[in-house]
């Protein structure tokens, strides 16, 4: 994607639906020039609101569809706006399951305007099944009690902390937002199920014994819809260290309220460690990451203390206070 970016928020009701845009604003803020919102949008990233002509005049190159809707499809109400952006001279990028290039009206507008369509959720190479053979290097996988609990932010924060200390570390994106942030990776939920473990092995290959691959988790093993992608990722990652992620105050699985409760931190960590030990018998917990954004400072620190008491591992809010204590533990114990 060519920066600067204009982030398309559509009519997203809350930040949970705009996690792609919010991730770009958080981690590539210098490349985000503005936001484009439809009536009824409940999200404001604090960026200037721009129309397409204003954005183009300001040097913006790419309109990024920043919405992660359930099913990853192009909403009919978006189409006139996406087409208008192309005719205004902007490239168009998305991380949806439905390809921009497969939408007749959008594809025709791209041809007529000479602009590029970037479908970043779809791998540009094929993979083989995983082989499960242990490979050199160290690996950390972030896992969750649910979807959208901070797995990506946690891995990115750990990479930032390690790099700041001069440690060899590589963030391994497994979703569209991580790919947009770093310009590399594999959207693991777009890989054929039999090949997910192989894709994870390719993403975190053999490395120097002291090098850390920090692998962004997807889904959750105790989730009724997305456990399958998680299991392949766990087996292919062969993690030495597992960090379990949770959002403070979330009691039920998002979108499954009334049917499925969030598991405890202990239950979530134990099930992921047990699965990981198929391909790495030494896999173990390394920390807890809690999204405390809805809490004041005192309540947030109390939530971290409770998590540490429950698991006997360091707990952090990686966005609010960084992941230094987890990296301390990794240095001392792994």
């Amino acid at each position: 994607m060519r920066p600067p970016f204009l982030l398309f928020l559509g009519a997203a009701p809350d930040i949970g639906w705009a996690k792609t845009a919010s991730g770009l604003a958080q981690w590539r803020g210098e490349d985000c020039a503005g936001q484009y919102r439809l009536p009824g949008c409940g999200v404001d990233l604090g960026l200037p609101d721009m129309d397409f002509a204003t954005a183009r005049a300001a040097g913006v190159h790419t309109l990024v569809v920043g919405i992660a809707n359930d099913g990853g499809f192009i909403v009919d109400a978006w189409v006139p706006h996406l087409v208008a952006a192309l005719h205004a001279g902007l490239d168009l990028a998305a991380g949806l399951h439905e390809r921009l290039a497969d939408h007749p009206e959008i594809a025709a507008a791209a041809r007529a305007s000479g602009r590029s369509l970037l479908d970043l959720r779809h791998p540009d190479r094929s993979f083989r099944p995983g082989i499960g053979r242990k490979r050199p290097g160290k690996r950390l996988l972030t896992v969750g009690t649910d979807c959208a609990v901070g797995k990506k932010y946690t891995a990115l924060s750990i990479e930032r902390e390690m790099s700041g200390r001069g440690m060899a570390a590589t963030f391994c994106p497994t979703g569209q937002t991580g790919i947009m942030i770093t310009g590399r990776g594999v959207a693991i939920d777009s890989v054929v199920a039999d090949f997910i473990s192989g894709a994870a092995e390719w993403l975190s290959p053999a490395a120097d014994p002291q090098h850390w691959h920090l692998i962004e988790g997807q889904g959750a093993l105790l989730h009724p819809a997305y456990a399958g992608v998680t299991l392949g990722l766990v087996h292919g990652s062969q993690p030495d260290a597992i960090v379990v992620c949770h959002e403070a105050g979330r009691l039920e699985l998002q979108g499954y309220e009334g049917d499925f409760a969030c598991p405890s931190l202990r239950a979530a960590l134990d099930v992921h460690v047990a699965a990981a030990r198929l391909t790495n018998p030494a896999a173990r917990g390394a920390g807890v990451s809690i999204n405390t954004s809805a809490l004041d400072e005192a309540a947030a620190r109390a939530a971290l203390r409770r998590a540490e008491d429950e698991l006997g591992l360091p707990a952090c809010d990686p966005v609010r206070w960084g992941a230094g204590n987890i990296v301390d533990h990794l240095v001392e114990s792994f």
Side-chain angles (χ1 to χ4, degrees), residues 75-240:
V75 177
D76 289 343
W78 301 350
V79 174
H81 302 272
L82 303 184
V83 167
L86 291 165
H87 286 304
L90 301 178
D91 291 340
L92 188 56
L96 302 168
H97 282 296
E98 183 179 358
R99 296 173 188 262
L100 297 168
D102 290 341
H103 191 285
E105 193 173 348
I106 293 172
R111 288 193 298 271
S113 62
R115 309 317 304 172
S116 297
L117 300 178
L118 304 169
D119 287 299
L120 301 175
R121 197 171 192 141
H122 300 275
D124 59 2
R125 56 160 294 146
S126 59
F127 301 99
R128 296 186 178 186
I131 60 174
R133 188 176 302 127
K134 192 73 174 74
R135 54 199 186 276
K138 298 181 180 181
R139 287 164 191 82
L140 179 147
L141 175 68
T142 55
V143 303
T145 58
D146 191 7
C147 302
V149 290
K151 297 182 285 288
K152 172 177 65 267
Y153 280 25
T154 301
L156 281 164
S157 295
I158 292 172
E159 182 199 40
R160 175 182 287 173
E161 179 70 23
M162 286 183 166
S163 297
R165 299 185 187 195
M167 298 171 65
T170 303
F171 170 67
C172 301
T174 60
Q176 70 275 12
T177 308
I179 292 171
M180 290 180 179
I181 291 169
T182 64
R184 53 183 169 77
V186 178
I188 211 76
D189 63 2
S190 293
V191 176
V192 173
D194 278 358
F195 308 139
I196 290 173
S197 58
E201 291 181 354
W202 175 86
L203 189 63
S204 56
D208 181 88
Q210 297 305 311
H211 180 278
W212 280 96
H213 280 106
L214 307 169
I215 301 146
E216 174 194 5
Q218 294 293 331
L221 281 179
L222 296 176
H223 195 290
Y226 304 119
V229 69
T230 308
L231 187 60
L233 185 56
V234 168
H235 288 160
S237 297
Q238 294 183 354
D240 301 285

Side-chain angles (χ1 to χ4, degrees), residues 32-59:
C32 297
Q35 60 188 14
Y36 184 91
R37 300 186 289 173
L38 300 184
C41 183
V43 178
D44 185 350
L45 298 176
L47 297 169
D49 287 293
M50 292 183 175
D51 60 28
F52 301 133
T54 301
R56 193 70 191 95

Side-chain angles (χ1 to χ4, degrees), residues 213-288:
H213 280 106
L214 307 169
I215 301 146
E216 174 194 5
Q218 294 293 331
L221 281 179
L222 296 176
H223 195 290
Y226 304 119
V229 69
T230 308
L231 187 60
L233 185 56
V234 168
H235 288 160
S237 297
Q238 294 183 354
D240 301 285
I242 292 177
V243 173
V244 64
C245 305
H246 179 64
E247 181 183 23
R250 188 181 298 190
L251 302 178
E252 298 177 289
L253 299 187
Q254 193 173 62
Y256 294 79
E257 292 84 356
D259 294 314
F260 293 94
C262 275
S264 67
L265 294 174
R266 171 55 63 189
L269 180 61
D270 286 352
V271 72
H272 286 92
V273 169
R277 286 181 174 170
L278 174 69
T279 53
N280 184 356
R284 55 194 168 101
V288 191

